[in-house]
Amino acid sequence: MAAFLQTNITLDSIKIVPGRYSSLTDRAPYRIRCAAASPVKKRYNIALLPGDGIGPEVISVAKNVLQKAGFLQGLEFDFQEMPFGGAALDLVGVPLPEETSTAAKQSDAVLLGAIGGYKWDKNEKHLRPEMGLLHLRRDLKVFANLRPATVLPQLVDASTLKKEVAQGVDMMIVRELIGGIYFGEPRGITINENGEEVGVNTEIYAAHEIDRIARVAFETARKRRGKLCSVDKANVLDASILWRKRVTALASEYPDVELSHMYVDNAAMQLIRYPKQFDTIVTNNIFGDILSDEASMITGSIGMLPSASLGASGPGLFEPIHGSAPDIAGQDKANPLATILSAAMLLKYGLGEETAAKRIEDAVLDALNKGFRTGDIYSPGNKLVGCKEMGEEVLKSLDSKVPATV
């Protein structure tokens, strides 16, 4: 049962459902099975890609939470941990080994930690960890990236915005993920007729690529507050002119959704000036990359935000939007909540296990209600904890039968 999006039908029809190693040749997949009291169990294969920096730390915590939630809901998981990013570069010389790609494609869902770090920054482009992520998205054909940005009442004081501006913010950014300037051709660095180096990237979108991400966004808005803002640069870019034309044409199929358009530079300003105006945002690859990181700081910390990347068929890719934070790696300082919430999105959007997902979401809220905070979201009066202890508190809260209050 893999995550998928069929963009010509509704999300109700879609349902968006269905060990460490020394070398690639001698590793044995690290598997954990969680049993449940129920005689009938659902069983899923989960590919774990810890990656680099704090990735292994947050993945370890999220795996434990996913295992516990599965146990409580009668779900059984087989976890297969594979090298990826800089870790794979160090192991076999490429950021996305063929075996890792195969394991991901054969899984029911993929949970990723983080990639990148200073030690690989000077590598040639094709040997950088980030290229592994781009290629993994391409291999999985995940074109729709869903990034929620919600300011929790418990963390409103952690936002860099005034309380009255940040309070109540709840938006979903739907980003096109495998097209646009990150993948367009021609691309590269060449020498022109004057003997001067020239760098070229191409922003290109075909109509079907715009239509499929727009449908996902309309359906997402329909399930939220019924407002969709399409962000482009149609006053300058031809690709954006087509983007706006296609999105506008589809609006007639969704009369219950209020569609608006906004230039990306204005959207960047409005996210800071009055973020509560946004419900669902749909935009292209590069604009979504930038705006979703901006939105993360409204919530107080990039360490709180999960994401889901889904395609027309096959497994989805679930990951926190934060980076590998090599400066704090191995120090038990990382915030694991974004990865834990990514595991909840994996259950909800990847496997259709909404009850188990809600358990995790409630457990995170309960831990926050009890005052536990990692350093990035700490404020006086709360208890400062590390990555492992935060995970332990979420595990304790999973056993609570009373839903946490927001």
Side-chain angles (χ1 to χ4, degrees):
M1 298 175 66
F4 64 93
L5 290 169
Q6 287 179 255
T7 55
N8 61 337
I9 54 177
T10 67
L11 287 186
D12 283 330
S13 301
I14 293 167
K15 300 188 183 303
I16 317 184
V17 295
R20 305 305 294 173
Y21 31 74
S22 58
S23 74
L24 286 176
T25 55
D26 67 1
R27 74 177 190 286
Y30 182 57
R31 299 179 182 275
I32 293 179
R33 292 189 174 89
C34 49
S38 171
V40 179
K41 307 182 187 73
K42 294 181 182 178
R43 184 169 178 171
Y44 299 106
N45 295 314
I46 308 299
L48 296 178
L49 310 183
D52 312 316
I54 63 173
E57 298 171 67
V58 295
I59 281 290
S60 177
V61 170
K63 179 179 68 178
N64 292 337
V65 171
L66 191 56
Q67 179 186 3
K68 181 69 173 289
F71 175 84
L72 294 170
Q73 292 300 132
L75 309 176
E76 186 173 276
F77 298 111
D78 283 347
F79 293 107
Q80 186 173 13
E81 188 173 311
M82 300 296 292
F84 184 60
L89 279 166
D90 290 348
L91 185 66
V92 296
V94 293
L96 178 60
E98 183 178 344
E99 291 87 347
T100 299
S101 178
T102 298
K105 288 185 286 188
Q106 292 178 349
S107 71
D108 293 306
V110 181
L111 186 61
L112 167 65
I115 58 163
Y118 308 128
K119 66 179 293 187
W120 304 287
D121 282 349
K122 294 183 180 180
N123 284 15
E124 293 182 38
K125 181 180 176 182
H126 70 285
L127 294 178
R128 291 179 183 173
E130 294 79 8
M131 295 307 297
L133 181 55
L134 292 179
H135 292 155
L136 179 64
R137 290 169 177 169
R138 178 200 61 196
D139 290 355
L140 295 177
K141 297 181 174 63
V142 287
F143 66 86
N145 182 236
L146 277 59
R147 293 189 174 191
T150 302
V151 176
L152 300 175
Q154 300 94 329
L155 299 179
V156 67
D157 291 330
S159 175
T160 54
L161 300 183
K162 294 178 181 178
K163 183 175 181 178
E164 58 268 26
V165 175
Q167 198 164 35
V169 169
D170 178 14
M171 74 182 78
M172 178 73 79
I173 297 179
V174 180
R175 168 192 173 192
E176 199 289 322
L177 199 59
I178 57 174
I181 201 167
Y182 291 171
F183 292 89
E185 297 287 349
R187 61 190 298 142
I189 299 175
T190 60
I191 304 296
N192 68 12
E193 63 275 11
N194 299 320
E196 185 179 17
E197 282 191 311
V198 177
V200 176
N201 291 92
T202 302
E203 170 71 356
I204 182 170
Y205 274 105
H208 79 275
E209 294 175 306
I210 301 170
D211 290 355
R212 67 185 182 183
I213 193 66
R215 289 186 186 280
V216 172
F218 274 112
E219 295 288 353
T220 301
R222 175 177 274 173
K223 287 179 171 292
R224 290 172 52 84
R225 300 190 300 278
K227 295 177 62 178
L228 176 62
C229 179
S230 177
V231 174
D232 58 43
K233 192 62 175 171
N235 59 334
V236 175
L237 301 177
D238 291 324
S240 279
I241 293 173
L242 178 62
W243 180 283
R244 183 171 292 206
K245 176 183 176 182
R246 301 300 301 187
V247 174
T248 301
L250 285 174
S252 62
E253 300 179 22
Y254 301 89
D256 53 331
V257 176
E258 177 187 340
L259 174 65
S260 62
H261 299 275
M262 190 175 292
Y263 296 143
V264 63
D265 43 357
N266 187 27
M269 291 188 290
Q270 295 297 328
L271 276 172
I272 300 302
R273 188 187 74 83
Y274 184 41
K276 284 193 285 284
Q277 69 183 282
F278 296 108
D279 171 19
T280 305
I281 293 174
V282 62
T283 191
N284 68 12
N285 203 339
I286 189 170
F287 296 163
D289 192 2
I290 296 167
L291 293 178
S292 59
D293 280 359
E294 180 186 3
S296 73
M297 293 315 299
I298 299 171
T299 70
S301 173
I302 200 170
M304 289 298 301
L305 298 189
S307 75
S309 299
L310 308 167
S313 63
L317 173 64
F318 304 86
E319 59 180 309
I321 75 167
H322 62 66
S324 62
D327 53 322
I328 63 169
Q331 300 175 45
D332 195 36
K333 293 182 178 180
N335 184 345
L337 294 183
T339 312
I340 291 172
L341 291 171
S342 294
M345 293 189 81
L346 181 155
L347 288 166
K348 181 177 181 179
Y349 293 102
L351 305 180
E353 300 291 351
E354 295 197 17
T355 303
K358 187 66 164 55
R359 271 188 181 271
I360 292 178
E361 293 166 353
D362 285 345
V364 168
L365 290 175
D366 188 51
L368 292 173
N369 284 337
K370 292 175 180 176
F372 296 101
R373 303 286 191 273
T374 48
D376 58 314
I377 55 174
Y378 176 77
S379 59
N382 293 301
K383 182 180 179 182
L384 180 64
V385 296
C387 181
K388 292 179 181 177
E389 187 173 353
M390 179 62 88
E392 290 167 0
E393 293 302 326
V394 173
L395 286 171
K396 292 176 186 176
S397 294
L398 272 173
D399 282 326
S400 174
K401 296 183 178 181
V402 180
T405 57
V406 175

